[in-house]
Amino acid sequence: MSSTGAMKIPSGATDYGRIIKEDPYYEYLSIALPFNEPAGSQVFRDYSKYGDQYIVSGDVLQKSDQSKFYGTSAYWDGTSDRIYTPTVSGYDIGDKFVTGTHGSWTWEVWMRHLGSDNNAGTLFCDNTVDQVSNGYFGKYISVQSNRLCLSMQRNGGSDLSYVFVNDITYQYAGALSAPIDYNEWVHLAISYDSYSQAFRIFVNGDHIRTSCFRGGGAGLTPDQIDGYTKPQYGEKDMRSGRVYIGATHSGVYDLYGWLQDYRYYIGVCKYKESFTPPTQIAF
């Protein structure tokens, strides 16, 4: 599904809140962070229907040095900064981060990445990955060697599937991701279609690759997709606990760069083909 033309809106929280509710996917939004507060602010307000105000760890803040749309954006300096959801949710039916075995989802953000190829930065991490008893698979989205990456894991990483990676020589390597340009605004998106069990990755709206993990096995049996050997994903139950942005739940892999219009949808695969990246809340 493609995004259409841009909506012209004034900057400011009131207009953002009004316009975002016109998003046809609004009911699916679990996270909607514009990062549009005044320069110097450490208030990170969620404009989804859940309305969380994120907890700050470190000195991440909104600054006017760089902005894609609103005059400010959120800046991570690569040194122990992160924001995270105030409550642990996602384990019970009805929680905002529950996708279930057949749940579609979409993640997207505008990013201006700083640093070098050696900088690994966390864009989405939940503490489900360390849970041993609940059996749910958590998501970890990151930039590594300047490529957008996704892995699914549980039991402290002992059950691990790399979906999109920066290096296909990894033991459990998935599909090769695409490089991301430095020091310029880039739109990033990953979607999961529960019907086809297909993960898709997009950079600036271009569909880079699809990975499909089929079957119901619990292990990492390889599946051949896109010419690479993949770990089997199968019909796993994907749920997120507390979500962290900027560093992992354990405080490593710090992000160095700027973010704007961060969104996470549960229950819908928003993108299945190349699209025009959204501008100023053009959904």
Side-chain angles (χ1 to χ4, degrees):
M1 184 170 296
S2 300
S3 293
T4 54
M7 290 182 179
K8 300 293 185 182
I9 67 169
S11 62
T14 301
D15 293 306
Y16 183 95
R18 174 178 59 81
I19 294 298
I20 200 169
K21 290 181 180 178
E22 298 178 9
D23 174 9
Y25 304 109
Y26 176 76
E27 287 301 313
Y28 300 102
L29 266 172
S30 289
I31 301 174
L33 297 168
F35 300 131
N36 65 344
E37 298 291 332
S41 174
Q42 287 192 301
V43 173
F44 297 97
R45 192 176 308 170
D46 175 21
Y47 284 85
S48 76
K49 61 185 178 182
Y50 301 102
D52 288 331
Q53 184 168 310
Y54 277 56
I55 297 171
V56 177
S57 176
D59 58 2
V60 55
L61 77 169
Q62 281 140 127
K63 299 178 67 175
S64 58
D65 302 51
Q66 293 290 340
S67 174
K68 179 63 181 174
F69 301 124
Y70 309 117
T72 58
S73 62
Y75 174 65
W76 278 261
D77 64 9
T79 56
S80 303
D81 301 329
R82 60 182 177 174
I83 62 175
Y84 57 93
T85 50
T87 57
V88 177
S89 58
Y91 298 133
D92 297 318
I93 298 300
D95 282 342
K96 60 183 174 180
F97 297 133
V98 171
T99 53
T101 302
H102 298 284
S104 298
W105 53 269
T106 304
W107 170 90
E108 63 181 322
V109 72
W110 283 94
M111 181 181 75
R112 187 181 180 97
H113 189 224
L114 305 175
S116 67
D117 281 344
N118 295 324
N119 288 112
T122 299
L123 295 170
F124 182 106
C125 180
D126 65 76
N127 66 349
T128 308
V129 300
D130 273 350
Q131 304 300 312
V132 176
S133 59
N134 62 30
Y136 306 141
F137 274 74
K139 309 175 190 68
Y140 178 55
I141 300 172
S142 62
V143 55
Q144 299 184 32
S145 299
N146 228 44
R147 292 177 184 265
L148 181 62
C149 300
L150 167 67
S151 63
M152 310 296 299
Q153 51 188 297
R154 66 177 179 182
N155 295 346
S158 59
D159 294 331
L160 173 64
S161 291
Y162 289 108
V163 183
F164 298 112
V165 296
N166 62 304
D167 185 351
I168 61 171
T169 64
Y170 290 161
Q171 182 179 2
Y172 301 123
L176 185 65
S177 184
I180 300 168
D181 290 331
Y182 291 114
N183 296 318
E184 64 180 69
W185 286 102
V186 178
H187 186 266
L188 307 174
I190 297 176
S191 67
Y192 175 69
D193 179 14
S194 62
Y195 179 79
S196 62
Q197 295 188 34
F199 295 89
R200 295 179 176 90
I201 192 168
F202 304 86
V203 176
N204 282 330
D206 293 330
H207 176 210
I208 303 302
R209 194 175 300 279
T210 298
S211 260
C212 302
F213 295 97
R214 297 184 287 266
L220 293 166
T221 306
D223 189 14
Q224 196 72 18
I225 299 162
D226 288 346
Y228 301 109
T229 299
K230 308 295 192 306
Q232 185 182 48
Y233 185 77
E235 297 180 354
K236 301 295 189 293
D237 197 349
M238 294 178 286
R239 304 190 182 194
S240 298
R242 177 176 283 158
V243 172
Y244 295 83
I245 303 169
T248 68
H249 57 292
S250 54
V252 296
Y253 301 119
D254 300 300
L255 180 65
Y256 184 29
W258 306 81
L259 297 182
Q260 190 102 77
D261 273 353
Y262 188 107
R263 306 177 208 143
Y264 181 52
Y265 300 81
I266 290 291
V268 64
C269 179
K270 186 177 176 182
Y271 303 124
K272 297 183 181 180
E273 59 188 29
S274 294
F275 60 92
T276 301
T279 57
Q280 293 239 88
I281 319 306
F283 292 93

